[in-house]
Amino acid sequence: MSTQVSKAEVVVSPGEFFQIGETRRIRSAIRLELTEHSYLPKSDDPRADWVASVAVPAFKTLSQMGFLAPRFCTIGTGAGLDALAAVEILKARTVGFTDIHDDVLEHARRNIQSNLLAQDVELVGGVGDLLSPLVGTLSEVDVIYENLPNIPMAETDDLADGQTSSTFIRERSEEIPGFAEKNLVTLHYLALQQAYPVLRVGGRVLSSIGARIPISEILALSGAAGYNGSVLTYTWKVQSEPHEVVGGFARWEREGLGPFHFYPVSVLREAFDGLSPAAAGARALQIESELAPYEIAAVDALALVESGEKVGHTVTVLDSVKVPDHAL
Ligand SMILES: C[S@@+](CC[C@H](N)C(=O)[O-])C[C@H]1O[C@@H](n2cnc3c(N)ncnc32)[C@H](O)[C@@H]1O
């Protein structure tokens, strides 16, 4: 069992969280220290946790394809649990990790270090925006993972105020394709762009996108950033922090972005019943079209949330492979 010891520390069992009987490279009880800014692992409910329900199945899918990642990097690591999953499942030995908050990064560094059994792991951490703190330090990376926020912060939000892991600062100086802005996937696009020079040819970016937009638009991100894109895994989640997140999507939908799609939880449960994330990934477009009659726009989903109902959303892990320039 996983237990929440206090707000400042959680203990996660890889047996339950990663569905791994015996770990070889990381401890069998993972202690994670958190700051008030850390994205909180859902230690009581692995199905609701992004690392357990999205990153781990994606890493296992790659590993089953025979693709390991001696050189791995996670952008926006939070507590550091995604890096530990990569050390165990993808046999990562060089582990890059970034986060935008100093305190989150320092805790992540300690969390990764203190839960390692393997002696061959080198940690390369950097505080700052996306991959920028590691540019020039990391190269020839096999896999870059990211689960970045979608929703631009409102003018009134404060980055220094508690957990802001589902939102990010709106003003960016980079050029962003219009479709990425309209779909609120700007950070995913920028991460793909920054990752390109850091990856080896044949390396890949796994973008974890609960973006509530059509899969075709998600795939278009890979193409726009110069990769070959496909859906690696497809799954669903009950919307966590529903007032904040659905409220955020509804606000931008009213301003003309989106539309963004949520679904009744019972419909999602049935549509994905008996399918592994990899099997669902292989027929993602078909599942998406079966779900289409049940789509709920963000403004309507917010009304449901406000009346006490749960809503869910799908999650895609976009697999963007760096191919030699002449192969595109
Ligand atoms: C949704 S959490 C994901 C945490 C963890 N990777 C996971 O999958 O559970 C998003 C993380 O990205 C970080 N973040 C947000 N904006 C960022 C940026 N521009 N650059 C780097 N990290 C960022 C947040 O502080 C937070 O830790």
Side-chain angles (χ1 to χ4, degrees), residues 135-193:
V135 167
T137 311
L138 273 190
S139 59
E140 294 292 302
V141 172
D142 301 290
V143 172
I144 296 178
Y145 172 74
E146 63 88 356
N147 173 20
L148 286 160
N150 298 311
I151 305 171
M153 283 171 85
E155 304 291 318
T156 49
D157 292 344
D158 179 359
L159 184 66
D161 180 17
Q163 268 198 50
T164 50
S165 33
S166 64
T167 57
F168 69 96
I169 308 159
R170 187 157 187 230
E171 289 306 320
R172 305 271 337 180
S173 55
E174 301 95 330
E175 204 168 303
I176 319 284
F179 81 94
E181 253 177 355
K182 180 163 162 47
N183 288 317
L184 289 181
V185 285
T186 296
L187 281 197
H188 301 291
Y189 171 75
L190 291 173
L192 281 171
Q193 226 185 18

Side-chain angles (χ1 to χ4, degrees), residues 39 50-51 76-78 82 99-101 128-130 145 147-149 165 187:
Y39 189 67
W50 280 88
V51 175
T77 188
D82 49 9
D99 206 282
I100 203 153
H101 298 285
D129 184 44
L130 303 177
Y145 172 74
N147 173 20
L148 286 160
S165 33
L187 281 197

Side-chain angles (χ1 to χ4, degrees), residues 194-218:
Q194 291 191 11
Y196 197 89
V198 176
L199 285 172
R200 69 168 168 87
V201 171
R204 56 228 297 164
V205 183
L206 301 184
S207 314
S208 178
I209 308 184
R212 298 101 182 151
I213 53 171
I215 292 172
S216 56
E217 302 278 292
I218 293 176

